[in-house]
Amino acid sequence: MAFVLWIIAAILVISGIFAIFRKQLLWGIVLIVVGCLVGPGGVSLFT
């Protein structure tokens, strides 16, 4: 389960970085924060 959460978190953070590059600053920040919350290293939403 931790591996799946890590993959989801990585996808969210990468999507957030791309959103920032496309000038969608708010959406990018939201994606990065959610990615950090979902990731196994952060405060997981599923535990």
Side-chain angles (χ1 to χ4, degrees), residues 12-46:
L12 287 172
V13 170
I14 291 170
S15 299
I17 292 169
F18 282 133
I20 289 173
F21 283 136
R22 288 182 308 211
K23 308 288 190 226
Q24 297 174 344
L25 187 63
L26 182 62
W27 184 239
I29 291 171
V30 168
L31 286 173
I32 291 172
V33 168
V34 170
C36 290
L37 289 175
V38 169
V43 182
S44 181
L45 299 172
F46 299 107

